[in-house]
Amino acid sequence: MAKEADDRAGEENVTGAQPEALPTLVDMRGIEKSFPGVRALQNVRFDLRPGEVHALMGENGAGKSTLMKILTGVYQPDGGEIRVDGRPVTLRDPQAAQALGISIIHQELYLMNHLTAAQNIFIGREPRKGFGIFVDEAKLRRDAAAIFRRMRVGIDPAAEVGHMTVARQQLVEIAKALSYDARVLVMDEPTSALNETEVEHLFTVIDDLKANGAGIVYITHKMDEVKRIADRVTVMRDGQYIDTLPAATTPMATIIQMMVGRELADQHRATGRRAEEEVLRVTRLNRGDAIRDVSFALHKGEILGFAGLMGAGRTEVARAIFGADPIDSGEIRVHGRPRRIASPADAVANGIAYLSEDRKHFGLVTGMSVRDNVTMASWGRFMSGGLFMRDGALGDVAKDYVRRLKVKTPHVHQETRLLSGGNQQKVVIAKWLLRDCDILIFDEPTRGIDVGAKAEIYRLLEDLAAQGKAIIVISSELPEVLRLSHRIAVMCEGRITGELDGRTATQEDIMTLATQRAEAA
């Protein structure tokens, strides 16, 4: 199938794409790449035309990011050829790619929190004055402001990035890429932290770029975005090229099946019944304007979904319960007893685990092995004589959790950074299961994870609930909330505006409560 698709992919002329007479911006053929113990890419092809959005899809670990890192000069291919504007090129480093007009917006943020938005955008390329001695801060801010106006976002160029939300930091990353006047722009999950308005702003920018002849490689797991923005779709699986298809006329079910190599089970609602035993009760929790008089209960074996628009206060509630942020007032009871949780250590001691939406910064040490990440929260249990770590026991327990959670890794000594997003998330879950936490808070558990891995995470959460774990799931994806939750708490502007039965709730019900401001309530 791959070879037949290989032959016809270059022949098709998709509605919305540029005429075939135009040269391709990028043509990658026969690309090969291996890492120690892993063959990441095998005979992969990909092409990009002027004025099109070409979606690149596949499960995490399919090789999409590796292929794009080769295109942007981060990795060097072991074999194959890359042509830009019809000419063979060697992309020795990211600077060589940028010189050819190729830029990337990474899924993970690469910003310096102590610098302003403008400084992050033009770092290393700052305008100068005074015979080139001093940075021209005024021009720096003007140039950044012009890009933000083009994107139709109200970000202050002089604001420090470290004080921004994740969504605004993502927009700064996008502005940085646009500042290179790229003809080829790779967007790796660019909307993962954006709300609907910000997504529409981004799509407007993409439309402008297309109109000016730029080509956009769009990596996403959001099927609705593919239909909305893409002209063609290329699917990869297990490091290999599968097919290239027109986005407008290809059913999403076909693309999903090609991505995972199997049909996924139909979506369904949460099953099973929660026990009556209450394991967590939060009463009248307050923290400035972020959390306002929040009260709820969580039961053994229950998945409680938290829904709401970005900025509603869901993550703030989770961080307060976990002791990551101080509270102004309120009470937290664990198994019926009031607890003072002033730090994450207090929370973990009370059996509460928090899996942050930013797993690479707050859930993992990506430069360490799978074994060490799985066991780090429980190292005290593996000390011998209070001085030495029992390496054999660490390895055995890590292998056990890798097997139980089906983590795809060559071995437990693999660096965690080399795992796909879904497998990294499983490693974080394994860490807290080994620590034997019975209250698990998942903040955006499938952010940046493909549809196949999502299904595995969903089954894992359901299995944990069936084993008696009490779970809170915070998600911006309404189908995900409806898919997992026994009950759904909906927030707006720091308040819980209502609670819904997960078996009967609809997206319309959630959105009604998510937009119910205090004045209306």
Side-chain angles (χ1 to χ4, degrees), residues 2-64:
K3 186 179 186 306
E4 292 175 2
D6 214 37
D7 294 336
R8 72 170 179 269
E11 299 172 0
E12 62 186 1
N13 183 25
V14 181
T15 301
Q18 293 295 318
E20 193 65 34
L22 286 175
T24 55
L25 281 175
V26 172
D27 192 5
M28 307 176 77
R29 292 181 179 272
I31 303 299
E32 303 272 348
K33 183 65 180 177
S34 295
F35 299 101
V38 179
R39 191 172 187 182
L41 299 176
Q42 181 179 352
N43 193 28
V44 173
R45 59 156 296 164
F46 182 84
D47 69 277
L48 181 68
R49 301 167 183 167
E52 79 163 343
V53 174
H54 193 154
L56 182 58
M57 304 192 72
E59 291 190 272
N60 279 4
K64 308 181 302 294

Side-chain angles (χ1 to χ4, degrees), residues 167-179:
R168 287 184 166 255
Q169 290 178 352
Q170 179 73 288
L171 291 170
V172 173
E173 279 279 21
I174 293 168
K176 186 199 301 185
L178 294 179
S179 72

Side-chain angles (χ1 to χ4, degrees), residues 472-483:
I472 292 173
V473 171
I474 299 167
S475 179
S476 299
E477 297 186 29
L478 297 187
E480 182 165 277
V481 174
L482 293 168
R483 164 72 172 76

Side-chain angles (χ1 to χ4, degrees), residues 119-188:
Q119 289 166 342
N120 269 283
I121 291 169
F122 294 104
I123 191 165
R125 303 175 291 138
E126 300 88 349
R128 297 280 174 172
K129 63 181 181 179
F131 301 103
I133 299 174
F134 305 105
V135 173
D136 189 341
E137 292 287 350
K139 186 176 189 319
L140 190 73
R141 289 193 291 271
R142 286 197 304 272
D143 291 347
I147 297 174
F148 288 137
R149 281 196 301 273
R150 178 183 175 191
M151 293 171 62
R152 296 173 173 85
V153 294
I155 294 178
D156 180 2
E160 279 192 18
V161 165
H163 296 150
M164 295 181 183
T165 63
V166 173
R168 287 184 166 255
Q169 290 178 352
Q170 179 73 288
L171 291 170
V172 173
E173 279 279 21
I174 293 168
K176 186 199 301 185
L178 294 179
S179 72
Y180 286 96
D181 292 326
R183 297 183 306 125
V184 174
L185 186 58
V186 181
M187 295 186 171
D188 191 352

Side-chain angles (χ1 to χ4, degrees), residues 310-322:
M310 192 168 293
R314 299 163 301 162
T315 294
E316 288 77 4
V317 169
R319 289 178 57 84
I321 295 170
F322 192 61

